[in-house]
Amino acid sequence: MTDSTRVRRGAGKRERLASAAARVLHEQGVEKTTLADIARAAGVPVGNVYYYFKTKDELVEAAIESHADGLKTLIAALERLPAPQDRLKALVRGWADQREVAARYGCPTGTLASELDKRADGLDRAIAKVMGALLDWVDQQFRQMGRTDSRELAVALVAAYQGISLLTNTFRDPALMATEGRRLEGWIDSLA
Amino acid sequence: MTDSTRVRRGAGKRERLASAAARVLHEQGVEKTTLADIARAAGVPVGNVYYYFKTKDELVEAAIESHADGLKTLIAALERLPAPQDRLKALVRGWADQREVAARYGCPTGTLASELDKRADGLDRAIAKVMGALLDWVDQQFRQMGRTDSRELAVALVAAYQGISLLTNTFRDPALMATEGRRLEGWIDSLA
DNA sequence: GTCTATATAGCGATAGAC
DNA sequence: GTCTATCGCTATATAGAC
């Protein structure tokens, strides 16, 4: 076995643990998820987790980074569209496409933000940064549409999504998000 | 000591525990709150809690009922206003008045709903019922305003509030909710 | 690098004295 | 009705064999 193979193996396990953490923490919540849950989902023995992550908090941090990466990828894809209102409507449509997940577990970022705000550690600032990045990007789109109240509109749009995610989850009804998504697309058109 | 005195004492402690539970569960979250936290907040010895509530879940249930009572009282006060759009705007203004609490701990009902949805027990249905009662009332107001899309609008309004509560909490910024409150009042006027 | 066994601590819940 | 002492379980984290 070469040295590089061992290194790649280690990296692979670390990534498996990080992505398993992101998924399981979303589905079960931070407090109800044990290290054993994450280890099982990643196919790694419990005690071995500590070779890659010193504490549970570090696993939560890795999950947040995973969400930050996902947002970055999403934004990069949306940037290919020429008109800002089309980019925003595509964002809304993307959210609506995830309505089944939202009905079962809520918005990955929103539920995490809600839970981490109840904790003393600094992880709530990390998830706020992710939410802030989304807000900034939406703000830019409204600004490019010529709106001077772009920040207020950005807050309203992201809040509408977070709120409908919570209601969709509370009532376990994906149709709520589908309807609200259509309403928001019409609202974006009305602002152009 | 008369019998009635003992009964009143018992009832008093039960109520103290229930209202302490509602407050502490909101501030710290369900999972991070211990029975010792609630007992301390109510001024009751830990072990004695079990005389009034058999399990922690029963305390959570009592907190939900406390929120349901609060909603009932709020709606009764709003019903005194003659015009439905004024009732809805007063509702929004009431939310905005609580923005400091929202910045620190989020919406009491919303954060509870988000957390309880991650649990296997039936308490998530109880909090959904409270949220449903609010939704039904808002729906009625829009209907009285002559809107045939009253349900969709009700979902949009409550979602806007839940979402802005989450953002206000995430960024610890009460101004977000103040601004969004004004925007929502203007939106309600535009629908009349 | 990998995994097992276990130390340590905290919490929900109970038993039982008063 | 009230309160103390404690049981039993579970979860994070570590020690150390391999």
Side-chain angles (χ1 to χ4, degrees):
Chain A
M1 188 191 291
T2 66
D3 222 56
S4 70
T5 307
R6 279 211 299 273
V7 168
R8 270 197 283 109
R9 278 236 184 117
K13 269 198 184 177
R14 212 196 128 88
E15 275 165 41
R16 276 218 314 280
L17 279 166
S19 83
R23 189 177 70 254
V24 179
L25 289 174
H26 176 215
E27 292 175 0
Q28 306 189 345
V30 177
E31 301 298 334
K32 298 224 64 154
T33 298
T34 68
L35 292 175
D37 290 334
I38 296 172
R40 198 182 324 114
V44 170
V46 201
N48 198 4
V49 171
Y50 288 93
Y51 180 75
Y52 299 99
F53 298 94
K54 273 194 282 291
T55 63
K56 184 181 176 180
D57 276 10
E58 283 191 14
L59 266 166
V60 176
E61 207 175 347
I64 293 172
E65 277 166 29
S66 160
H67 285 128
D69 288 347
L71 176 63
K72 215 169 156 182
T73 306
L74 173 66
I75 285 179
L78 293 174
E79 289 283 1
R80 293 202 200 99
L81 295 169
Q85 55 263 53
D86 288 337
R87 292 199 281 266
L88 288 176
K89 285 195 285 181
L91 175 67
V92 170
R93 219 167 300 129
W95 287 337
D97 287 345
Q98 293 299 311
R99 62 188 180 277
E100 296 288 348
V101 178
R104 192 65 197 81
Y105 307 113
C107 165
T109 316
T111 54
L112 204 49
S114 178
E115 239 187 314
L116 293 180
D117 267 312
K118 305 288 185 195
R119 296 169 54 126
D121 52 52
L123 292 171
D124 54 342
R125 296 304 87 195
I127 193 74
K129 223 180 125 187
V130 177
M131 196 85 85
L134 171 63
L135 220 41
D136 288 343
W137 184 83
V138 174
D139 187 347
Q140 281 171 33
Q141 310 312 308
F142 279 124
R143 182 172 293 249
Q144 285 175 31
M145 284 167 65
R147 303 289 310 204
T148 54
D149 55 349
S150 58
R151 190 67 189 181
E152 181 179 332
L153 295 175
V155 170
L157 181 60
V158 174
Y161 164 61
Q162 287 300 333
I164 198 64
S165 290
L166 190 130
L167 292 189
T168 297
N169 183 223
T170 299
F171 296 112
R172 300 269 149 90
D173 182 2
L176 291 179
M177 178 160 281
T179 302
E180 176 70 359
R182 281 190 296 272
R183 200 188 67 86
L184 289 172
E185 286 195 58
W187 175 69
I188 291 165
D189 277 332
S190 77
L191 295 170
Chain B
M1 190 190 289
T2 66
D3 223 56
S4 69
T5 307
R6 280 211 298 276
V7 168
R8 270 198 283 109
R9 277 237 183 114
K13 269 199 183 178
R14 212 196 128 88
E15 275 165 42
R16 276 219 314 281
L17 279 166
S19 83
R23 189 177 69 255
V24 179
L25 289 174
H26 176 216
E27 292 175 0
Q28 307 189 346
V30 178
E31 300 298 334
K32 298 225 63 158
T33 297
T34 66
L35 291 175
D37 291 335
I38 296 172
R40 199 182 322 113
V44 170
V46 202
N48 198 3
V49 170
Y50 288 92
Y51 180 75
Y52 299 98
F53 299 93
K54 274 194 281 291
T55 63
K56 184 181 178 181
D57 276 10
E58 283 191 14
L59 268 166
V60 176
E61 207 174 348
I64 294 173
E65 277 166 28
S66 160
H67 286 128
D69 289 346
L71 176 63
K72 216 169 157 182
T73 305
L74 173 66
I75 286 179
L78 294 173
E79 289 284 1
R80 294 201 199 100
L81 294 169
Q85 56 262 52
D86 288 336
R87 292 198 280 266
L88 289 176
K89 285 195 284 180
L91 175 67
V92 170
R93 221 167 301 132
W95 287 337
D97 286 346
Q98 294 298 311
R99 62 188 180 277
E100 296 289 348
V101 178
R104 193 64 198 80
Y105 307 113
C107 166
T109 316
T111 54
L112 203 50
S114 178
E115 239 186 314
L116 293 180
D117 266 313
K118 304 287 186 196
R119 297 168 53 124
D121 52 51
L123 291 172
D124 55 340
R125 296 303 88 196
I127 194 73
K129 223 180 127 188
V130 177
M131 196 86 86
L134 171 63
L135 220 41
D136 288 343
W137 184 82
V138 174
D139 186 347
Q140 281 171 32
Q141 309 313 307
F142 280 124
R143 181 171 293 248
Q144 286 175 29
M145 284 167 65
R147 304 286 313 201
T148 54
D149 54 351
S150 58
R151 190 70 189 178
E152 181 178 332
L153 295 175
V155 170
L157 182 59
V158 174
Y161 164 61
Q162 287 300 333
I164 198 65
S165 291
L166 190 129
L167 292 188
T168 297
N169 183 222
T170 299
F171 295 111
R172 300 268 149 97
D173 183 3
L176 291 178
M177 178 161 282
T179 302
E180 176 69 359
R182 280 191 296 273
R183 200 188 67 86
L184 288 172
E185 286 194 58
W187 175 68
I188 291 166
D189 278 331
S190 78
L191 295 169

